[in-house]
Structure formats: C-alpha cells, structure tokens
Amino acid sequence: MWIADGWKEYEVLDTSKGEKLERWGKYILVRPDPQVIWNTPHIAPEWKKKNGHYHRSNKGGGQWEFFGLPEQWEISYRELTFRLKPFSFKHTGLFPEQAVNWDWAGGIIRGEKEKSPSRDIRVLNLFAYTGGATVACAKAGASVTHVDASKGMVTWAKENAAASGLAEAPIRYLVDDCVKFVEREIRRGNRYDGIIMDPPSYGRGPKGEIWKIEESVYPLLQLCAKLFSKDALFFLINSYTTGLQPAVLSYMLNLTVQSKLGGIVAADEVGLPVRGGKGLVLPCGASGRWQRLGE
C-alpha cells in the first residue's frame, strides 16, 4: 500500500462504526467512511471535541452538524496550502491520501528539471477537482492544464494555487468535459509529458454529458495515450470505485500506455495511517502509475 504519512496538519485519529475521526489543522471532523465496518470503542478523547459531524441519511445523502467550525480554513502539506470548507456529501475539498501521489509526481518533475532545467514539462490534470495535484505539479516546476466540469471546483483550484504562492504560475484552468477536451487536444496536436486523472464513479459534464466509469474510463485511457509527448514522463489514475481494484488499473495502463511507450507500471491501494492504530492504515481507494523507464 502507498501510505500518505507525510502530513503534519492532518491525521486520522480513530475509526469506528462506519465513521472516521479526523484532525484538519486545529479542527476535528467526524465523517462517514464505508471502509470502516468494525465496531470499536471510542477511546480517542477527540470524539467528544468535534467541530463538525456529517450524518448520513438512510434515504441517501446527509447533512452537516457544526460545533464552532468556520466556513473556511486552511491547512498545509509541505510547501502547499489548501483552503477547506465543508460542502455537499461529507467533503471538505481535499483528499489527503492523495499526498502520496503528489509526492510521486512532484518528485518525477523535479528530477527531470534538475537534469534539463530549460525543459517545459507539460502536465494535464483531468477531473482535477480543487487542484491538489495541480498545485503539487506546478510547485515542482511543471506547466499544468487543469480541467474539470464544475466551474465552482475550478474557482476553488485557483484559490488553492494562490494560497500556495502559485497565482502567477503557468496553470491553465478550463471548465470542460474531460473526454471532449482530450479529443480536441488530439486534433490540435497538443502533447503532454504527464497526465493525471481522478475520474468519478458517475458524473455529468457541463452540458449534461454522462460519465460512468466502468463504461468510459478505458476508452479515455486509450485517447490519453495519444496525447503523450515522445519523452513522456508519467501517468497517474486514481479510483474510488470498488470494482476497479489495483490489478484492474495496472492491466489498463499496460494495455494503453506501457504497450506503446515501454516504461514501468505499478498499482496499489492508497491509505492513511491511523493515530494510535498500532500500525493500522485506513484504505482510501487505489492508484495506478506509469513512468518512463529509468525515471
């Protein structure tokens, strides 16, 4: 498992009865987590000091209950800063387990920049959400194209970039359907050195385009393989869909990318360490990675 253990301002404090107890900076949140199927005693004292609690509804969805939680606050990861706020369906605007992938992609970019300082490393971030990977890659020295179907998420990503000192960085923000954007980029002849995608299980584009990951992700991977430069560096795909296990992500990357460009494919679960969990790690989905051989 790839474990995001580099955080200082975020931690999973405890897990029990379908919920996880988290510290986000100085605020404590309780949020549902479908992986937490065990029933253990609430030993951590922070269970009684929560600032926000998202309650799931038996009819679907749910709602927040607040105890002194501000509308917005910030936390940092290494040299990056993110603005957080509680919004629909338990989210805060950040998936902290992805820090392990930010480190991986950022490390590849920095390594290449050390070898070739003048190289313009172009990264495409699809389904880019609030821009965690965008700011990580931009901080490492890449030019990033950030694509998401939600105008609100793209605005949020700009705020995160600014908070991380990247307001003037070479980041292009686009509100667009990811599949249609990739198709246009292929026709335009644009190429990228790194591609990242974090596709939802189900979603709609800005014009109502329907996305179902089981039907749509492999054709999109085939399209993305056409966008790589001749000196492409990496590809990253994340999945929170139960049916897409690491081996599935690995298989797809081997078929679409490694078969054409060589290199190395790896896939694994990603997770977050649990404080006081005696080495236990909370699983948080899976990631598949391809990188050029020798990087």
Side-chain angles (χ1 to χ4, degrees), residues 1-4 15 38 270-274 277-284:
M1 181 183 285
W2 294 322
I3 302 172
T15 59
W38 45 89
V270 293
L272 289 162
V274 180
K278 300 179 181 180
L280 296 177
V281 177
L282 180 65
C284 304

Side-chain angles (χ1 to χ4, degrees), residues 155-222:
T155 298
W156 197 336
K158 293 179 182 179
E159 294 173 356
N160 282 333
S164 297
L166 296 166
E168 304 301 321
I171 303 174
R172 184 167 60 132
Y173 301 95
L174 296 164
V175 179
D176 206 341
D177 176 76
C178 290
V179 176
K180 291 184 177 179
F181 175 78
V182 169
E183 291 171 339
R184 289 197 301 273
E185 287 292 87
I186 293 170
R187 294 194 295 268
R188 293 168 182 146
N190 289 332
R191 297 295 179 264
Y192 295 89
D193 305 298
I195 298 176
I196 298 169
M197 66 166 66
D198 200 347
S201 298
Y202 179 86
R204 289 184 180 273
K207 296 183 179 179
E209 302 90 344
I210 294 176
W211 167 275
K212 293 182 180 178
I213 193 167
E214 294 87 350
E215 300 174 2
S216 305
V217 69
Y218 182 69
L220 180 56
L221 282 170
Q222 291 177 302

